[in-house]
Amino acid sequence: MAVQEWEIMDFSAGLIDRVDDNLLPDNAAKDCQNFISRKVGSMKPRPGQARLNTAALPGPVQGLHAYYYGDFFGENRKLVVAAGGVVAYWDPDTQSFVNLKTGLDVGALTCFETCANYMVAFNGVNAPWKYDGADVSTLAGAPEDGQFCVLHKEKLFTVPTSEPSTLRWSNSFAPETWEAVNYWDIRKGDGDKITCLRSHLGELVIFKRRSLSVLRGTSLDDFRLDEVDARVGCTGPFAAAADGPYLYFVSDEGICVFNGARVVNLSREFIPNLWSTINTEQLHKAAVTVWDGLVWFALPEGSSLHNNLVIAYIPPADGAAGGKFWPWRGIKASCFQAYNNGERLLLYSGDAVSGNVNQQDVGTDDFGNPIEAYWVGKTFAIGEADKKNRFLRAFIQDSPGANDVDLQVTIDYGQFASLVPDGGDELVRRYNFYSTYNGRYLQPKLMYSGLGGCEVRGLKVLYKPFGRAS
């Protein structure tokens, strides 16, 4: 029979592990790590990371905040970090962190919010405090054990550690005036507790671990509490982020999105097997952010006690559900913060292991080390069902000037074996299979572990059916 070819010029479907690998779309991955395809015809390794501070703060990072103040937006700015019982801000002149407050609880997450005249901080253990760009002082009137905070309808909301199902808030435009009547019990006595608050679409979204409610209205006179979902909630205070009309969050059941009316589980349809590897006992540490059109979900994988996996989600253009999933490893993020340094907007993450703040989406390496990336495609039953195939050659199309990727293949579900390049040019590299590569099924694996990045634009395999598959 004549030589035939199988060609893939699109890698954009991302990871799909719900179906058998031979039933996958041609542009989907059975397994992948640290690659991403954001347009048809191109796949690259994920962007890199760089340290902001070389001298680590004491302990893992437990909170980040961008504080802008002054008569004009951005006239004064500070990137604020909480780590190991210390809250500090970054000084770009000395390239170091300057302490704002010390002696805080070393194990508590710290949530920040910017009010009209100052920044406030809550950690659920120490008394809430404020900072106006010059002085640090106690935030008068606030619950002593408020554990997180959000500014909504010009009121500052929090949840006391001692009353984990009670929402309390300040008067409007008065973060230090907390009247006794300003509270609302959220399904008190249900054995659950409030885990996260978000202001979204003009409403206050109140997450418990196993439920989602919405507080509608503007004041105690017209507030109305509606329960949206009595089964699905958010796992922790950093585990939700909004992108336009959509609120993405991490639940015990998977990665979810709330559109103001209902909740949709995004991961169940495409990556249930990857989700099954998540350490749910540590899922309260999950962190979510939206950056450059992607939703980043930082999660603890396997037996890890901290977030060691980021699932990058590409939402579809016409809605929140039905997007693409790309797992990234090597990013240990406890929290995220976008920060305008006066020149451009940057994404920072708190290190979940050390007292470092790390810039994300920068360069092509992780702190000078290569990013280990791979992509495993579907298993292709090539040719006629009753015949074996003689695999002849493979071709990889690269971007001009990019570094080369490695190609491995497995035949009939055997072990992956590397192929050695045998000719080509700057754009296309050729591999010969030789006579030992005969079989019914073929599965490709693209790998990259160098410095400088790469870009894959296509893969082609030439084969020739022959004989009977006895």
Side-chain angles (χ1 to χ4, degrees):
M1 296 183 64
V3 173
Q4 301 180 37
E5 67 179 43
W6 161 71
E7 185 175 34
I8 177 171
M9 304 296 290
D10 175 19
F11 305 90
S12 63
L15 176 66
I16 300 176
D17 65 20
R18 187 185 181 193
V19 300
D20 190 84
D21 55 345
N22 67 332
L23 299 177
L24 286 173
D26 286 358
N27 62 345
K30 171 193 174 182
D31 186 18
C32 60
Q33 170 183 288
N34 290 336
F35 267 122
I36 187 168
S37 175
R38 302 192 65 174
K39 64 180 181 180
V40 174
S42 174
M43 183 171 68
K44 301 178 180 179
R46 66 160 173 84
Q49 308 175 78
R51 302 280 191 213
L52 176 65
N53 54 317
T54 54
L57 292 164
V61 174
Q62 297 154 317
L64 284 172
H65 184 62
Y67 178 41
Y68 308 104
Y69 59 101
D71 293 336
F72 301 97
F73 174 79
E75 179 184 5
N76 298 296
R77 65 190 76 236
K78 284 184 169 64
L79 178 65
V80 181
V81 58
V86 173
V87 173
Y89 68 87
W90 178 250
D91 185 345
D93 294 328
T94 63
Q95 293 289 291
S96 63
F97 278 106
V98 178
N99 287 353
L100 275 177
K101 193 170 179 64
T102 60
L104 300 170
D105 188 88
V106 298
L109 299 179
T110 300
C111 294
F112 301 94
E113 183 63 278
T114 299
C115 300
N117 300 313
Y118 40 73
M119 176 193 81
V120 299
F122 290 67
N123 72 2
V125 180
N126 304 107
W129 52 279
K130 64 182 181 180
Y131 171 64
D132 62 4
D135 299 314
V136 172
S137 58
T138 300
L139 182 69
E144 289 285 313
D145 58 347
Q147 54 187 313
F148 35 79
C149 54
V150 64
L151 189 67
H152 174 71
K153 302 293 184 181
E154 303 306 330
K155 302 171 179 63
L156 188 60
F157 287 78
T158 191
V159 177
T161 302
S162 58
E163 302 176 282
S165 290
T166 299
L167 187 67
R168 294 191 176 272
W169 62 89
S170 72
N171 285 354
S172 297
F173 303 99
E176 295 185 272
T177 302
W178 298 69
E179 297 187 32
V181 296
N182 291 349
Y183 77 93
W184 201 297
D185 291 330
I186 312 298
R187 298 182 62 183
K188 199 168 187 177
D190 65 352
D192 203 356
K193 62 181 181 180
I194 299 172
T195 55
C196 183
L197 302 175
R198 288 293 183 272
S199 183
H200 181 60
L201 300 177
E203 301 170 344
L204 183 63
V205 179
I206 306 164
F207 290 104
K208 284 192 163 186
R209 187 79 184 229
R210 297 184 298 275
S211 68
L212 186 161
S213 300
V214 175
L215 186 68
R216 297 183 166 99
T218 58
S219 69
L220 191 58
D221 294 331
D222 64 353
F223 276 155
R224 184 182 83 251
L225 185 71
D226 294 326
E227 185 178 80
V228 175
D229 198 305
R231 299 170 301 158
V232 177
C234 183
T235 60
F238 296 155
D243 184 23
Y246 305 111
L247 182 60
Y248 296 91
F249 64 96
V250 176
S251 75
D252 286 301
E253 288 72 32
I255 292 170
C256 298
V257 63
F258 175 54
N259 65 0
R262 69 188 186 96
V263 174
V264 176
N265 189 312
L266 300 173
S267 54
R268 183 179 297 149
E269 182 71 19
F270 293 95
I271 55 168
N273 291 331
L274 177 60
W275 182 259
S276 69
T277 69
I278 300 302
N279 185 354
T280 56
E281 292 184 0
Q282 301 296 322
L283 205 49
H284 58 284
K285 300 176 182 177
V288 182
T289 194
V290 176
W291 177 255
D292 190 28
L294 300 176
V295 188
W296 296 41
F297 298 92
L299 308 165
E301 185 182 26
S303 60
S304 177
L305 301 180
H306 57 263
N307 297 333
N308 61 343
L309 168 72
V310 167
I311 298 179
Y313 177 69
I314 306 176
D318 56 351
K324 317 301 182 186
F325 296 88
W326 293 91
W328 295 346
R329 295 181 176 89
I331 300 175
K332 301 173 182 178
S334 60
C335 52
F336 295 100
Q337 179 62 58
Y339 176 68
N340 188 325
N341 67 356
E343 299 178 355
R344 59 194 178 105
L345 193 65
L346 305 172
L347 178 64
Y348 289 105
S349 67
D351 199 296
V353 178
S354 70
N356 290 100
V357 174
N358 302 322
Q359 184 181 347
Q360 298 292 335
D361 194 18
V362 56
T364 57
D365 59 73
D366 284 349
F367 320 116
N369 300 312
I371 297 172
E372 303 284 340
Y374 65 82
W375 180 92
V376 180
K378 69 178 289 183
T379 296
F380 293 92
I382 304 175
E384 300 178 28
D386 63 341
K387 289 182 170 59
K388 283 190 175 182
N389 306 283
R390 177 168 291 122
F391 300 105
L392 306 173
R393 294 184 180 89
F395 300 87
I396 293 180
Q397 181 179 344
D398 297 312
S399 177
N403 295 310
D404 296 343
V405 299
D406 295 321
L407 174 62
Q408 294 186 348
V409 296
T410 175
I411 305 298
D412 293 346
Y413 300 97
Q415 296 295 316
F416 278 103
S418 297
L419 298 181
V420 179
D422 183 28
D425 53 33
E426 183 185 11
L427 295 178
V428 177
R429 280 172 294 114
R430 183 182 67 213
Y431 299 80
N432 283 331
F433 282 95
Y434 303 109
S435 60
T436 57
Y437 288 92
N438 299 329
R440 182 181 286 177
Y441 305 103
L442 177 142
Q443 186 174 49
K445 182 176 185 179
L446 300 172
M447 304 178 65
Y448 182 75
S449 59
L451 294 171
C454 68
E455 181 179 3
V456 182
R457 292 191 171 185
L459 172 66
K460 180 189 291 187
V461 174
L462 302 183
Y463 65 95
K464 185 175 182 180
F466 75 98
R468 297 287 176 182
S470 58

